[in-house]
Amino acid sequence: MPKSESSVPSTPTVQVIERMFALMDVLASRKESISLKEISEKTGLHPSTTHRLLNDLAIGRFVDRSQPGSYRLGMRLLELGNLVKNRLNVRDAALVPMRRLHKLIQQPVNLSMRQGDEIIYIERAFSERSGMQVVRAIGGRAPLHLTSVGKLFLATDDPQRVRAYATRTGLSGHTKNSLTDLSTLERELSKVQQYGYAQDNEELELGVRCMASGIYDDQGALVAGLSISAPAGRLEEQWLPKLQATTQEISATLGFNVKDTHHKA
């Protein structure tokens, strides 16, 4: 039975906040409005306490009264959520996790995003000890089909868009390993879709191999990719789980819920 708090002279601030969170969790669990009685029962709070807290939340527009005695989450939460979303920056979210990953593997870690038919490198974590002779500068660009992150983005396109990309770019190559044939590229993209990560096997630069995992936003859209670059003979498959854990962490910061989608991070 809910306890009456009429005999309690004052309620600590932390307890009040906890109760407000409990109320909003109940409201968030249902799409439709919920009655005061049901909210009280689900939270275990006395109806008078529930009513008082809901009124306070309604004043701040965190809760709306859809009709007398019935409540739902308010628009203020949407406004605040949009503010947080707008302030979230992929680079800011990725910087610390990618530096942590670099310390683990001692190889360059690259953050890149799609711009049209290319990827652009927007951040990098690396050191002289990595042994890499070629490190692309931040702001540098590369064709989608020649890079591991680029393949992640192409793998999200439908077949018609991939064919249009091939027509526009001509699938020009940089090395003898470059994928310059549409059917070969399509088979490669099918593997990316199947396994949830992509590789570059000396397709952009001879002597350099990469593996990449995607970063997703709160809508489940691929917004960036994180890749590990290494000398061709030193890229290790055991880095993949660490890379995927890092992209999952960054995606979670951006609001992505892996349980709600079929993406493989």
Side-chain angles (χ1 to χ4, degrees), residues 75-92:
M75 293 301 293
R76 182 61 178 155
L77 289 171
L78 178 62
E79 294 169 3
L80 292 175
N82 285 333
L83 280 174
V84 173
K85 181 180 177 181
N86 291 337
R87 289 173 182 172
L88 284 175
N89 177 285
V90 173
R91 179 186 173 277
D92 290 343

Side-chain angles (χ1 to χ4, degrees), residues 139-159:
R141 297 171 180 270
L144 295 175
H145 67 288
L146 300 183
T147 62
S148 55
V149 171
K151 290 176 187 176
L152 291 175
F153 280 100
L154 284 175
T156 67
D157 287 346
D158 59 42

Side-chain angles (χ1 to χ4, degrees), residues 146 174-180 200-204 206:
L146 300 183
H174 284 200
T175 76
K176 60 183 178 64
N177 288 359
S178 298
L179 304 182
T180 58
D200 157 20
N201 183 30
E202 299 183 75
E203 297 156 48
L204 182 64
L206 285 175

Side-chain angles (χ1 to χ4, degrees), residues 60-252:
R61 297 172 52 237
F62 292 98
V63 167
D64 286 339
R65 295 187 194 88
S66 54
Q67 54 188 353
S70 187
Y71 299 84
R72 63 187 178 191
L73 291 179
M75 293 301 293
R76 182 61 178 155
L77 289 171
L78 178 62
E79 294 169 3
L80 292 175
N82 285 333
L83 280 174
V84 173
K85 181 180 177 181
N86 291 337
R87 289 173 182 172
L88 284 175
N89 177 285
V90 173
R91 179 186 173 277
D92 290 343
L95 199 54
V96 172
M98 64 188 290
R99 286 175 176 171
R100 192 185 309 127
L101 176 62
H102 168 66
K103 288 182 179 179
L104 284 175
I105 64 174
Q106 291 300 313
Q107 296 297 329
V109 177
N110 318 288
L111 177 67
S112 47
M113 302 178 72
R114 180 176 187 170
Q115 283 195 351
D117 291 339
E118 298 176 309
I119 63 159
I120 179 169
Y121 297 89
I122 61 174
E123 190 53 79
R124 174 168 286 108
F126 73 101
S127 63
E128 298 301 326
R129 290 175 295 174
S130 68
M132 290 288 293
Q133 299 300 312
V134 178
V135 177
R136 288 185 169 261
I138 294 174
R141 297 171 180 270
L144 295 175
H145 67 288
L146 300 183
T147 62
S148 55
V149 171
K151 290 176 187 176
L152 291 175
F153 280 100
L154 284 175
T156 67
D157 287 346
D158 59 42
Q160 292 78 12
R161 293 183 66 183
V162 173
R163 286 194 289 270
Y165 167 84
T167 300
R168 286 193 306 272
T169 64
L171 296 181
S172 58
H174 284 200
T175 76
K176 60 183 178 64
N177 288 359
S178 298
L179 304 182
T180 58
D181 175 73
L182 178 58
S183 61
T184 304
L185 176 61
E186 288 173 333
R187 286 195 296 272
E188 179 80 358
L189 297 180
S190 179
K191 292 180 182 178
V192 174
Q193 293 168 351
Q194 180 179 358
Y195 297 111
Y197 72 96
Q199 292 185 313
D200 157 20
N201 183 30
E202 299 183 75
E203 297 156 48
L204 182 64
E205 299 174 6
L206 285 175
V208 179
R209 293 179 62 210
C210 303
M211 62 171 62
S213 180
I215 296 171
Y216 300 89
D217 66 10
D218 63 323
Q219 300 299 309
L222 179 67
V223 293
L226 206 63
S227 62
I228 298 172
S229 302
R234 291 174 54 187
L235 188 72
E236 300 181 16
E237 293 298 324
Q238 66 185 26
W239 294 338
L240 180 60
K242 297 180 178 67
L243 174 64
Q244 291 176 319
T246 303
T247 55
Q248 286 176 356
E249 178 184 353
I250 298 167
S251 298

